[in-house]
Amino acid sequence: MTRRYVAIGSESQYGVAPGTDLSGLKVTSVNESFDPGLIFEETCDSQTINNAYGGAQKYTGTIEAFLRPAQMGPLFQCLFGVPTGGVYTLAATPKSMTMEICTDDNGIENAIRYLGVGISSMEMNLNAREAVTTRWNYFAKSSSKVAAQASVAYPKAEPALFWGATVTLRSGASTTIKSMTMNIERGLDPDDFVVGHSQLQGLVINAVPNISGSITLSQREWTEFQRALYADSGASTYAPRTTRGDTSSHEPGQTNMTLLFKDRTGTPICQVETDVAVYTDASRSMRGRAGVEKTVNYRVIGDTFEFTDLTD
């Protein structure tokens, strides 16, 4: 029987595959795109395009998978860098990885191997009645058609489930969150091409990391929504600062958050912690006698952000 698989492995040197077999990653979907960056020449003597030349080669795509930290080490190292004691932070330098994607086309295994893979962003989605899902946006230095890996081993890993998740806001476990998203943009530049090369030559950070997301609250929740509106759960109006150093007016609404994820056996598998997240905006809506839906959007500020792999 022909196989479909995605296998990954961290690189010790950018664009050089590890010397061991790549490790299996269970995915729900994967997308691959190639843009040769063609340079078209339009000349005065021709009625049509005169020629096309190869340019900056761009390999991009997305991976979607249930959250399984035990299988996602290379992905998290692409996003954060090498962890210390299982703890990933923004202080480390992101690493590259090698990735192999194999499809079964008309009964034939066709594998493409990507070298120098970087992760530009990752989105995590927590929804009631579902498993915790992730979406990874990647780019790569190069690709090549290779013989499919003889066998692919998948590290044993159970996915995180919604009913095993605990979201703590301001030191109190919430029981009124219907869904939550967290998007981590690392600030890597997928277009850092240089003269003399048609392919990327390394991973380069050219922007401040951006960690943001949204929280959808149930009809029973008001305190956190009011904090997002008026910066204080006890206030009834929003009064922005009018002068520098003005302490009489409200600061932006903010919280700290801890997300603890467990698998179906109740075993903790990972945890996300941040000291300060400011509420950037909020909204609510109702229709007929249906429940009132309230959404607050947030953005993490400061340097204290940790993702801990509890399976490590």
Side-chain angles (χ1 to χ4, degrees):
M1 180 178 178
T2 54
R3 301 167 298 162
R4 296 181 178 184
Y5 66 81
V6 174
I8 56 178
S10 295
E11 297 176 349
S12 57
Q13 181 181 344
Y14 179 75
V16 179
T20 57
D21 282 349
L22 303 178
S23 180
L25 171 68
K26 289 188 177 293
V27 303
T28 55
S29 70
V30 62
N31 171 269
E32 308 163 78
S33 297
F34 169 56
D35 178 1
L38 294 181
I39 301 169
F40 293 96
E41 182 182 27
E42 181 180 337
T43 60
C44 296
D45 62 300
S46 178
Q47 297 297 319
T48 59
I49 297 298
N50 181 64
N51 212 331
Y53 308 94
Q57 299 173 20
K58 297 184 65 173
Y59 303 91
T60 59
T62 59
I63 303 167
E64 295 184 9
F66 286 4
L67 178 60
R68 284 185 171 90
Q71 292 184 358
M72 294 176 165
L75 286 168
F76 282 114
Q77 289 193 30
C78 278
L79 192 64
F80 296 113
V82 178
T84 300
V87 180
Y88 295 91
T89 69
L90 298 174
T93 301
K95 292 192 65 175
S96 59
M97 72 175 187
T98 295
M99 177 170 62
E100 190 169 302
I101 300 174
C102 182
T103 59
D104 55 342
D105 301 288
N106 196 28
I108 299 174
E109 293 181 350
N110 288 312
I112 293 180
R113 174 167 287 197
Y114 295 92
L115 300 178
V117 176
I119 298 296
S120 55
S121 66
M122 183 270 275
E123 182 178 284
M124 185 163 51
N125 291 276
L126 171 61
N127 292 284
R129 300 187 296 177
E130 298 180 12
V132 182
T133 61
T134 62
R135 178 184 174 91
W136 308 78
N137 294 303
Y138 73 84
F139 60 94
K141 173 183 179 180
S142 64
S143 81
S144 60
K145 174 79 165 56
V146 297
Q149 193 166 286
S151 63
V152 178
Y154 292 83
K156 185 178 180 180
E158 293 283 347
L161 302 174
F162 82 95
W163 50 261
T166 302
V167 180
T168 301
L169 302 177
R170 286 186 171 240
S171 302
S174 174
T175 59
T176 56
I177 292 177
K178 299 180 67 175
S179 65
M180 181 175 183
T181 67
M182 177 174 286
N183 187 58
I184 304 172
E185 298 176 2
R186 193 62 176 92
L188 291 176
D189 187 356
D191 294 311
D192 189 55
F193 292 95
V194 295
V195 172
H197 301 275
S198 63
Q199 300 175 337
L200 294 173
Q201 297 301 297
L203 298 181
V204 177
I205 295 177
N206 72 347
V208 173
N210 180 29
I211 303 172
S212 58
S214 65
I215 303 172
T216 299
L217 303 165
S218 78
Q219 184 165 294
R220 294 180 292 114
E221 176 61 50
W222 177 257
T223 300
E224 209 62 34
F225 185 69
Q226 187 166 340
R227 181 172 287 118
L229 283 177
Y230 306 128
D232 189 306
S233 60
S236 58
T237 59
Y238 177 71
R241 285 186 173 186
T242 56
T243 61
R244 179 173 297 185
D246 176 10
T247 58
S248 62
S249 299
H250 300 308
E251 294 283 353
Q254 64 184 49
T255 187
N256 52 28
M257 59 179 65
T258 300
L259 286 67
L260 177 64
F261 298 101
K262 299 178 182 179
D263 63 20
R264 62 178 175 176
T265 69
T267 302
I269 57 176
C270 65
Q271 180 170 279
V272 180
E273 294 179 276
T274 180
D275 270 358
V276 182
V278 296
Y279 291 126
T280 58
D281 55 279
S283 63
R284 65 172 177 168
S285 62
M286 63 179 176
R287 185 180 182 87
R289 295 303 300 174
V292 179
E293 186 170 276
K294 298 180 283 290
T295 300
V296 295
N297 296 316
Y298 68 88
R299 184 172 182 178
V300 174
I301 63 174
D303 295 328
T304 305
F305 177 87
E306 294 182 351
F307 183 98
T308 304
D309 182 356
L310 299 175
T311 68
D312 190 13

